[in-house]
Amino acid sequence: MTKAQAGINGIVTPKFYIKCLVELEDFLQEAAQKEKAAKKKMNANNAKAMNAMKQKLKKNNKSFEDKIEMYRKDPDSLEEPAIVTVAATKKKSKNAFLAGSDSEDDDAAGPSTPQIDDSEFTTVGKGGKAVAEITSENLLQKLREILEARGKKSTDRNEQINTLQRLLKDATSSYQKIKVLLALISSRFDANLSMTGYMQVELWRSVEKEINQLLKIFETDPSFYVFENADDIDDEDKDIVAKPGQPIGLRGSLISFVERLDDEFTKSLQNIDPHTTDYIDRMRDEAGLYAILVRSQVYFEKHNLAASIGRVVMRRLEHVYFKPEQVISQIEIATQSVLGDHVKSSIITATDPAELVHQLCTYLYQQDVSVLRTRAMLCHIYHHALHQRFHVARDMLLMSHLQETIHQADIPTQILYNRVMVQLGLCAFRDGLIKESHSCLQEVQGSGRPKELLAQGVQMQRYGQPVAADQEQLERQRQLPFHMHINLELLECVYHTCSMLLEIPAQAQAGPNNKKVISKTFRRLLDYNERQAFLGPPENIRDHIMGAAKALASGEWEKSRDLIMAIKIWELMPNTQHIKDMLARKIQEEGLRTYLFTYASYYSTIGLAQLSQMFDLSTVNVSSIVAKMIWQEELSASLDQVTQCVVLHQVEQSRVQQLALQFADKAVNLVEQNERLLEQKNAEQRPEQQQQQKDRRGNKGQPGSQQNRNAVSGQRPFQQRTGRTQSARR
Amino acid sequence: MAAKHDLTMRMIPFLDRHLVFPLLDFLTLKEVYPTEDLLKAKHELLSNTNMVDFVLKLYQEIHNTEDVPREFAEKKEKVLAQLEEFQTQTQNIIEVIENPEVIAALRQDKLQNLHFLKENYNFTDSMVLTLYDYGQLQFNCGNYGGAADMLYHFRVLSTDNERNFSALWGKLAAEILTGNWDVALEEMQKLREAIDQKSFSTPLQQLQQRTWLIHWSLFVFFNHPKGRDGIVDMLFSSQYINTIQTSCPWILRYLTTAVVTNKRRKTYIKELVKIIQQESYEYQDPITEFIEALYVHFDFEGAQQKLKECEEVLSNDFFLVAAREDFMENARQFISETYCRIHQKIDVKELSQTLNLTQEEGEKWIVNLIRDTRVDAKIDFEENTVIMNTPITSVYQQVIERTKGLSFKSQVFASAIEKRELAAASAATTAEAL
């Protein structure tokens, strides 16, 4: 302690410290006077803080009395040239803190801090500016100076970039160029540090140009290459020329540059309003970016940098997987023309888009990194689904067993998984596989927040509570750029149409008190729609589908079809007419089924010809549908071949019979529940049998009491039977 | 037509050379492909084996010559020399093993056996290996019985897991080719167990092994009298259904045939329909299409048409040719059963038409059907119709059905509680005693 004291004493007190003390004293006095002059009293906290500060300052100033005195006499007399950035900031923060505690001091203290800062920064800046003459001899030396300054708080980044650009112009040998370019690209990326903002487009383009320049050097001059684990060469600021046939490895990471460039591109797309021309302009840069990806991939292949190849191939895949084949082949052609013939990859040779995606994916499947494999698999499935290869995509998904492990994956991969599921659902829908489509979409659309799950928009509220700011920030960063979005409206429309086609016949079959719900959201919407007192003509997609569902339920399939056909969004799907035809047919069939379920009890026979006329289906079709229903015991009826009609077997149950059946079901349920209860009890008791004896005795009565309750409410004819089972149970 | 539905090409990759041979022979017999092509294929197939004489014959047949190329003679000599050498080597081994004293001394424990042989008859590990090699050589020469013997002895003695495994495969092939179906079935079960239990380095390998086993087992299943039960049991187990779905959907043809011709396995039909529907995008042939028409679309005319195609496909399939009659008969029954369940009143004339029979035959057939399957139906001669009486289960019946199991269940439940109570009481007394 004393030692430290002595150490501190040894240092001459810096001039500005004294200056600060003096200024503080002055401010305080001023503030105190103001306070006296003011009519209104300062609030208690502020007053307390000011007093405390006054005392502290007095105590502190005692030890510096003479110096303060000296300063007051002559502000320049205390000469202190030492570099004191650290001390300054310390003091600054203290000052700011004090200012914060005392609101009156705030504006007074404000101007004083920047003053200090300014004076400090300019001096260092001067050192950086002092680049006078660059020759190829001292170029590397200069470069080193700049690199050493990098990352320091006092460095002006823009200034550095300018210098580096000048250096680049003067660089002659490839070694120099590579060195300068590596430094320049990293410092350009340094220029933007904040998490939220994106790199300016101009800056981005120049980086793109420089990476291309760098790659070009590698392509033309085989004597150098860059990789991550290279030994740092001590060049002593001299130029290095490689011996022929012995390439020199330099330390650097091209893959991180490329990835960063890609990330910045995505970030900019996230931030630009997608409905402006800016967005489209920005999208044009993708071709260049894609070319860089391919070019660097070739470079990595040439130097056999396996880890980097995997990463860059993944990036490449992520740029193509969601695009239609025509677009992919366009972008491939464009890339080829930009790069020229000498840049040829050895792993990815295909030109056909489907083949290209296949090759990219199969390459990634061989990687050791499981994340890459998973993502590649998902991209591959997405691509298949997009191109209407439902069975292939489904088989891949099932065989990959991703569904079991996806919950442990990182969030971007989960988002990708959701996208895949949705795309698969849409694909199934286009193929007319309603059930499959519904089950694929259920998870995402049924949750009620597809926007969030697909990363196509930020949810402002969750469970009625606003999302925390940092959470929202994170979510924003995960958003997909607009051009990758899946149309949410279309998704909703498809989902509800599927739900309608499944739910309406199921409801008709099960009767009014149906507890089995296929699609919760659909049911909710339908219930809501039915509660409305007045219904206007349908306006949005939902209204159309609800109207169609109600029409279908009452057997008016034509109205239902017309309503569904009136939805404009079908136009967004390829092959619209085909899909509409498919839907019309499904509505006819489901309409027939619904009709039979609903009205079967009012007929004793129905002519097949009549049905076929009503639903505009061929007789063969009708009989096939009816036969299926009979076979699956959904409809208690049979066909009469001679007269060509459906004979319905009336099973009119009396009230007592119905109740008896219900009661029997309940009794079965009860027994099952009791068994489960016992099993559960046994399972939990086995390990700690001895301790829980008493508790168990207490619980024993429970099943019995349950039985009694049921027996009381039960019906007479079967009481005897159930009564016996109860006694047996006891 | 016949060639279109021929599966030989798809199956060859999963079969052993020697096993392919009967298939090709069959094709030659049926003249599905040009004879010359088949001859060449046979030659190609066997030229890598040691069946020199046979290959030579094929060669002569293809080239229409009588001369013997030198390489054949050389090869023959070499093979004979090899055989000779192995013969002498294994001579004493076999002698030792077949010595009744030794057989009496051998136990279950392989290690102990080996130890015993080493001590008393100066056996070595390499001698056991010789058995394996000799077995392989004999198999390659077409001497399947000998190969099976050798491999049997090898398996009794060897402790080398990998070799034992491949010896199992070899034994199975040898038994199939000698036609010992009982033994082959046994071997196959062993192999199946081995595949299920063995830990493979990748799941892919296991899948491959299973695919192979399925293909090989067809030989056994369609030749063994009880095979049709076996194939249904084996292929419907979840691992094998998965294997079929992922790597060889064409096996569905055999599975379907087995299910259709198997009277006792009707419960499987629902499952089969589901699988056929699932795989229809990947594999379709008249036989699966028949099932689909009947049970998915309920298109009886379509089913009838498919049935006609089935007949041809079956008669051109190596494995199924024997099952053709059965299949046709059972398929007809399937059609009529489904038809009867759905319909209430059927015109006999039309029914016989759907079944591809004359009216009189149809009537007879229906009577038989009514008798055999206990369908509740009557023939109205005046109108020439069959009237089905659809049984309606009364509510009382339903209630009884549902509550049938309750009393038994409750008894079990009660005794479980009692047992627990007793256990608790005894535990309590011991606790008190402590």
Side-chain angles (χ1 to χ4, degrees):
Chain A
M1 180 68 196
T2 42
K3 234 184 203 172
Q5 198 75 43
I8 289 167
N9 287 344
I11 301 164
V12 191
T13 326
K15 170 190 163 191
F16 69 89
Y17 181 63
I18 305 297
K19 188 178 156 200
C20 272
L21 288 179
V22 171
E23 276 169 9
L24 249 168
E25 218 171 35
D26 290 349
F27 292 146
L28 258 181
Q29 263 170 9
E30 211 176 299
Q33 263 160 16
K34 253 192 211 162
E35 205 255 318
K36 260 179 209 162
K39 298 236 160 71
K40 218 171 98 191
K41 267 258 169 188
M42 203 188 280
N43 78 33
N45 269 347
N46 284 353
K48 205 171 157 195
M50 196 170 107
N51 278 338
M53 181 165 164
K54 220 189 240 167
Q55 268 157 19
K56 257 189 202 159
L57 199 65
K58 211 183 233 170
K59 205 171 156 197
N60 191 32
N61 282 5
K62 239 177 213 167
S63 49
F64 298 107
E65 243 168 350
D66 49 339
K67 288 200 172 140
I68 290 171
E69 220 31 55
M70 224 147 98
Y71 179 80
R72 282 197 189 280
K73 270 179 204 151
D74 178 11
D76 295 327
S77 66
L78 286 161
E79 209 57 46
E80 194 55 60
I83 294 174
V84 279
T85 343
V86 187
T89 43
K90 222 189 216 162
K91 187 65 214 167
K92 189 179 108 192
S93 65
K94 191 178 174 189
N95 209 343
F97 168 67
L98 290 173
S101 71
D102 192 337
S103 58
E104 296 268 330
D105 271 359
D106 209 338
D107 25 10
S112 78
T113 24
Q115 254 174 17
I116 299 166
D117 279 355
D118 277 351
S119 62
E120 288 304 319
F121 276 132
T122 41
T123 45
V124 180
K126 255 175 213 157
K129 260 179 199 162
V131 180
E133 192 95 356
I134 305 159
T135 58
S136 70
E137 284 81 46
N138 69 0
L139 183 134
L140 288 169
Q141 194 187 345
K142 277 274 164 309
L143 180 65
R144 206 174 40 148
E145 274 169 21
I146 293 167
L147 284 182
E148 273 159 10
R150 186 190 167 195
K152 284 195 180 134
K153 205 163 181 151
S154 49
T155 334
D156 180 356
R157 298 194 201 93
N158 291 329
E159 187 55 39
Q160 254 197 333
I161 291 172
N162 287 340
T163 327
L164 282 167
Q165 268 172 334
R166 240 176 300 150
L167 284 179
L168 182 61
K169 253 180 241 155
D170 292 319
T172 46
S173 71
S174 341
Y175 178 69
Q176 286 175 345
K177 275 187 196 157
I178 293 167
K179 276 287 208 184
V180 174
L181 274 171
L182 286 176
L184 178 57
I185 294 167
S186 358
S187 57
R188 280 214 202 270
F189 282 133
D190 281 350
N192 179 28
L193 280 178
S194 77
M195 289 260 282
T196 43
Y198 61 95
M199 201 169 170
Q200 279 145 28
V201 179
E202 288 314 311
L203 201 56
W204 188 90
R205 289 204 180 113
S206 45
V207 176
E208 184 197 353
K209 215 176 74 204
E210 278 144 14
I211 291 182
N212 263 324
Q213 223 171 333
L214 190 62
L215 282 165
K216 184 145 184 129
I217 295 169
F218 291 133
E219 276 158 22
T220 48
D221 186 353
S223 53
F224 293 102
Y225 69 106
V226 164
F227 68 105
E228 283 84 353
N229 300 326
D231 294 326
D232 226 352
I233 299 172
D234 189 16
D235 55 5
E236 293 170 337
D237 299 340
K238 297 271 160 49
D239 197 5
I240 286 185
V241 180
K243 288 173 209 136
Q246 275 186 326
I248 296 174
L250 301 176
R251 185 189 289 213
S253 173
L254 190 60
I255 182 67
S256 62
F257 288 157
V258 175
E259 283 188 336
R260 183 76 196 269
L261 190 71
D262 189 22
D263 286 343
E264 289 294 343
F265 179 71
T266 319
K267 245 197 229 173
S268 68
L269 287 176
Q270 282 170 354
N271 283 297
I272 297 170
D273 180 3
H275 303 292
T276 55
T277 46
D278 286 356
Y279 193 85
I280 297 162
D281 288 344
R282 189 74 185 122
M283 285 294 295
R284 291 212 179 95
D285 289 334
E286 198 187 9
L289 176 62
Y290 188 74
I292 285 189
L293 288 176
V294 176
R295 201 169 182 177
S296 54
Q297 183 199 330
V298 174
Y299 162 79
F300 294 134
E301 278 170 36
K302 195 168 124 198
H303 298 292
N304 217 358
L305 303 169
S308 305
I309 304 176
R311 278 156 77 183
V312 82
V313 168
M314 190 66 233
R315 293 275 165 170
R316 190 172 165 190
L317 179 63
E318 277 173 1
H319 273 276
V320 292
Y321 79 94
F322 60 93
K323 289 177 178 151
E325 291 192 341
Q326 298 87 332
V327 180
I328 298 177
S329 48
Q330 280 306 317
I331 202 172
E332 275 293 305
I333 291 166
T335 311
Q336 246 351 292
S337 66
V338 169
L339 295 182
D341 282 339
H342 61 285
V343 186
K344 269 273 187 296
S345 162
S346 52
I347 5 173
I348 314 298
T349 49
T351 46
D352 175 55
E355 190 59 26
L356 174 79
V357 172
H358 181 78
Q359 277 189 351
L360 289 171
C361 290
T362 34
Y363 180 78
L364 288 171
Y365 296 153
Q366 289 151 14
Q367 297 292 304
D368 299 331
V369 193
S370 70
V371 184
L372 290 187
R373 281 202 309 263
T374 313
R375 289 190 71 91
M377 180 60 101
L378 287 170
C379 291
H380 207 170
I381 298 169
Y382 188 98
H383 188 78
H384 278 310
L386 190 67
H387 292 92
Q388 210 52 64
R389 293 185 285 267
F390 174 74
H391 291 290
V392 185
R394 187 202 58 182
D395 285 357
M396 277 179 79
L397 183 71
L398 291 180
M399 263 186 259
S400 64
H401 291 281
L402 278 175
Q403 282 150 311
E404 290 135 40
T405 52
I406 196 70
H407 303 289
Q408 297 147 18
D410 55 330
I411 291 175
T413 309
Q414 287 191 17
I415 290 170
L416 184 60
Y417 173 79
N418 290 339
R419 277 166 65 75
V420 167
M421 286 310 287
V422 167
Q423 196 57 251
L424 203 59
L426 293 178
C427 172
F429 181 75
R430 286 185 299 242
D431 264 356
L433 304 163
I434 299 297
K435 215 169 174 183
E436 283 83 353
S437 172
H438 183 266
S439 57
C440 287
L441 297 180
Q442 172 81 23
E443 231 174 300
V444 174
Q445 182 69 35
S447 68
R449 39 193 187 116
K451 223 180 183 182
E452 207 177 341
L453 291 174
L454 293 174
Q456 298 187 358
V458 185
Q459 207 85 352
M460 284 306 156
Q461 283 195 335
R462 192 180 295 159
Y463 311 122
Q465 283 169 354
V467 181
D470 53 337
Q471 195 75 23
E472 195 189 316
Q473 185 79 54
L474 275 176
E475 229 160 86
R476 267 189 207 292
Q477 277 166 33
R478 278 188 222 121
Q479 295 304 303
L480 291 171
F482 184 73
H483 64 282
M484 292 171 78
H485 283 196
I486 295 169
N487 191 328
L488 289 175
E489 234 172 310
L490 179 67
L491 173 64
E492 196 191 341
C493 181
V494 167
Y495 176 71
H496 283 316
T497 312
C498 288
S499 305
M500 178 187 85
L501 288 173
L502 295 172
E503 182 87 46
I504 296 294
Q507 265 191 35
Q509 185 190 359
N513 299 322
N514 181 13
K515 291 210 178 70
K516 211 181 122 212
V517 178
I518 296 171
S519 162
K520 228 181 204 161
T521 32
F522 179 79
R523 274 290 275 274
R524 219 171 29 230
L525 280 178
L526 197 63
D527 287 348
Y528 175 75
N529 192 276
E530 264 161 11
R531 275 204 305 275
Q532 298 282 300
F534 297 104
L535 278 177
E539 279 168 4
N540 54 17
I541 295 171
R542 244 182 233 182
D543 288 349
H544 273 100
I545 295 178
M546 289 308 130
K550 278 198 281 184
L552 191 65
S554 56
E556 302 169 79
W557 69 273
E558 275 163 321
K559 190 174 157 199
S560 170
R561 182 197 60 190
D562 292 345
L563 277 167
I564 291 284
M565 293 303 140
I567 297 173
K568 293 217 173 54
I569 207 159
W570 301 128
E571 308 289 336
L572 287 181
M573 295 228 220
N575 234 339
T576 315
Q577 197 49 47
H578 173 75
I579 286 165
K580 280 187 171 175
D581 290 347
M582 179 275 290
L583 276 177
R585 201 179 147 71
K586 291 272 174 210
I587 289 173
Q588 278 173 349
E589 287 175 7
E590 295 306 329
L592 171 62
R593 275 160 53 79
T594 315
Y595 182 83
L596 281 176
F597 283 136
T598 321
Y599 300 108
S601 51
Y602 305 108
Y603 290 96
S604 72
T605 55
I606 312 174
L608 284 177
Q610 166 83 8
L611 283 176
S612 118
Q613 197 194 345
M614 269 175 76
F615 290 92
D616 200 19
L617 288 161
S618 70
T619 328
V620 180
N621 256 326
V622 171
S623 66
S624 150
I625 292 170
V626 175
K628 204 170 186 175
M629 287 168 76
I630 295 169
W631 182 257
Q632 286 167 351
E633 288 170 352
E634 292 172 330
L635 189 70
S636 126
S638 51
L639 290 170
D640 188 329
Q641 195 202 10
V642 182
T643 51
Q644 284 291 317
C645 62
V646 188
V647 182
L648 296 155
H649 304 301
Q650 233 59 334
V651 226
E652 192 75 12
Q653 288 169 352
S654 68
R655 175 92 185 126
V656 176
Q657 285 173 331
Q658 255 177 30
L659 290 172
L661 280 175
Q662 275 176 21
F663 181 63
D665 278 344
K666 274 183 185 159
V668 171
N669 261 344
L670 178 69
V671 172
E672 268 165 17
Q673 245 166 29
N674 278 345
E675 271 171 357
R676 226 171 292 145
L677 197 68
L678 183 73
E679 234 165 69
Q680 215 179 351
K681 278 271 145 72
N682 276 352
E684 79 192 21
Q685 224 133 48
R686 226 163 274 140
E688 45 209 316
Q689 209 166 13
Q690 280 166 349
Q691 297 161 357
Q692 291 209 335
Q693 278 164 24
K694 274 179 191 163
D695 303 24
R696 195 170 27 175
R697 292 240 170 86
N699 282 339
K700 199 185 67 187
Q702 219 175 4
S705 61
Q706 221 173 337
Q707 279 165 15
N708 289 337
R709 215 181 309 139
N710 239 302
V712 170
S713 64
Q715 264 67 40
R716 240 165 247 155
F718 294 97
Q719 207 165 29
Q720 212 183 351
R721 176 181 295 281
T722 41
R724 205 191 309 142
T725 57
Q726 277 162 17
S727 61
R729 219 180 288 136
R730 276 184 204 134
Chain B
M1 169 71 205
K4 193 178 119 201
H5 293 297
D6 184 51
L7 293 177
T8 319
M9 296 294 259
R10 292 193 184 181
M11 299 190 13
I12 285 177
F14 300 100
L15 292 171
D16 190 83
R17 282 171 191 287
H18 298 261
L19 291 175
V20 177
F21 183 70
L23 289 181
L24 290 182
D25 237 9
F26 179 77
L27 289 179
T28 325
L29 204 70
K30 288 281 167 187
E31 293 172 346
V32 177
Y33 298 105
T35 328
E36 207 176 309
D37 287 358
L38 284 172
L39 265 180
K40 270 187 197 157
K42 274 195 220 169
H43 178 73
E44 194 101 318
L45 181 75
L46 298 178
S47 58
N48 268 345
T49 68
N50 287 336
M51 299 156 82
V52 185
D53 285 338
F54 193 79
V55 177
L56 180 62
K57 217 176 87 202
L58 284 174
Y59 177 84
Q60 284 167 346
E61 232 176 293
I62 292 170
H63 297 279
N64 247 338
T65 56
E66 283 295 314
D67 29 311
V68 178
R70 234 196 32 230
E71 44 186 340
F72 279 101
E74 269 174 24
K75 198 174 177 189
K76 190 173 176 182
E77 256 170 48
K78 218 171 98 189
V79 171
L80 282 178
Q82 250 181 330
L83 272 176
E84 195 102 351
E85 196 191 320
F86 273 114
Q87 185 99 42
T88 48
Q89 272 183 15
T90 48
Q91 186 91 38
N92 54 348
I93 305 175
I94 300 294
E95 263 170 33
V96 169
I97 293 172
E98 288 182 352
N99 184 347
E101 274 175 46
V102 177
I103 292 173
L106 289 184
R107 303 271 150 67
Q108 274 286 309
D109 188 6
K110 277 187 183 176
L111 272 176
Q112 208 182 345
N113 285 345
L114 208 59
H115 196 67
F116 165 78
L117 287 173
K118 271 181 194 165
E119 261 178 18
N120 298 332
Y121 300 92
N122 50 46
F123 240 61
T124 57
D125 283 338
S126 66
M127 283 166 84
V128 181
L129 271 185
T130 322
L131 279 175
Y132 177 78
D133 290 338
Y134 187 45
Q136 205 169 26
L137 184 71
Q138 279 196 321
F139 183 76
N140 250 336
C141 294
N143 183 4
Y144 304 121
D149 280 350
M150 284 302 136
L151 290 174
Y152 173 75
H153 290 312
F154 171 76
R155 284 218 345 258
V156 170
L157 294 175
S158 171
T159 47
D160 182 345
N161 272 336
E162 277 308 309
R163 281 233 168 65
N164 252 331
F165 192 60
S166 60
L168 263 177
W169 280 107
K171 183 99 193 305
L172 175 59
E175 297 295 354
I176 287 172
L177 287 163
T178 39
N180 279 338
W181 302 121
D182 280 331
V183 188
L185 189 66
E186 234 170 77
E187 290 299 320
M188 213 199 65
Q189 298 294 3
K190 272 187 211 159
L191 195 57
R192 185 182 161 188
E193 267 166 42
I195 291 174
D196 287 345
Q197 280 162 10
K198 199 166 176 250
S199 56
F200 289 92
S201 54
T202 58
L204 197 66
Q205 229 172 344
Q206 196 171 25
L207 181 77
Q208 212 170 22
Q209 293 278 349
R210 287 209 174 114
T211 318
W212 277 48
L213 184 66
I214 288 174
H215 281 87
W216 289 34
S217 68
L218 293 180
F219 285 94
V220 184
F221 284 138
F222 284 101
N223 285 302
H224 194 273
K226 279 189 188 158
R228 283 182 215 158
D229 292 355
I231 188 172
V232 173
D233 286 340
M234 175 167 133
L235 296 189
F236 269 116
S237 63
S238 65
Q239 303 123 335
Y240 285 89
I241 271 295
N242 285 343
T243 311
I244 291 174
Q245 287 184 322
T246 38
S247 59
C248 50
W250 53 89
I251 294 295
L252 278 179
R253 172 192 291 181
Y254 300 102
L255 186 58
T256 312
T257 322
V259 171
V260 171
T261 51
N262 196 322
K263 280 192 185 160
R264 294 192 293 116
R265 310 282 165 176
K266 289 220 172 114
T267 38
Y268 284 117
I269 199 86
K270 259 191 185 152
E271 214 169 316
L272 181 73
V273 171
K274 214 163 49 183
I275 294 160
I276 287 178
Q277 237 182 317
Q278 264 174 21
E279 294 302 308
S280 63
Y281 70 97
E282 219 167 4
Y283 177 75
Q284 265 183 335
D285 70 8
I287 296 165
T288 62
E289 276 166 3
F290 164 71
I291 294 289
E292 225 183 339
L294 191 59
Y295 287 105
V296 180
H297 305 302
F298 292 90
D299 172 9
F300 297 97
E301 269 168 50
Q304 192 53 43
Q305 222 152 9
K306 287 292 162 201
L307 197 57
K308 273 184 215 152
E309 285 176 38
C310 285
E311 197 166 4
E312 196 173 343
V313 173
L314 288 176
S315 60
N316 279 317
D317 192 297
F318 173 77
F319 297 105
L320 300 179
V321 68
R324 197 185 71 185
E325 290 298 313
D326 265 0
F327 181 85
M328 295 308 286
E329 180 59 30
N330 279 307
R332 243 180 241 150
Q333 209 166 338
F334 268 41
I335 293 180
S336 59
E337 232 184 69
T338 323
Y339 202 76
C340 292
R341 253 191 69 185
I342 290 170
H343 288 78
Q344 192 182 34
K345 209 172 184 188
I346 306 160
D347 193 357
V348 174
K349 207 166 86 192
E350 252 177 76
L351 181 64
S352 8
Q353 218 169 10
T354 10
L355 295 171
N356 216 3
L357 300 165
T358 64
Q359 195 173 343
E360 203 157 320
E361 270 181 337
E363 217 174 294
K364 217 189 261 170
W365 202 79
I366 289 165
V367 173
N368 277 335
L369 183 80
I370 292 171
R371 207 176 46 200
D372 292 348
T373 56
R374 285 178 300 158
V375 179
D376 188 8
K378 296 272 182 301
I379 295 177
D380 185 335
F381 196 71
E382 198 177 352
E383 285 180 43
N384 209 8
T385 51
V386 186
I387 297 166
M388 303 286 154
N389 293 324
T390 34
I392 300 171
T393 41
S394 72
V395 179
Y396 305 104
Q397 199 63 39
Q398 281 179 32
V399 172
I400 291 168
E401 277 301 311
R402 281 184 210 179
T403 48
K404 219 182 221 165
L406 285 186
S407 81
F408 176 70
K409 265 186 177 175
S410 308
Q411 264 169 16
V412 174
F413 187 76
S415 69
I417 289 183
E418 226 162 79
K419 223 185 275 170
R420 224 180 55 169
E421 209 82 330
L422 273 176
S426 69
T429 49
T430 48
E432 270 162 34
L434 281 171

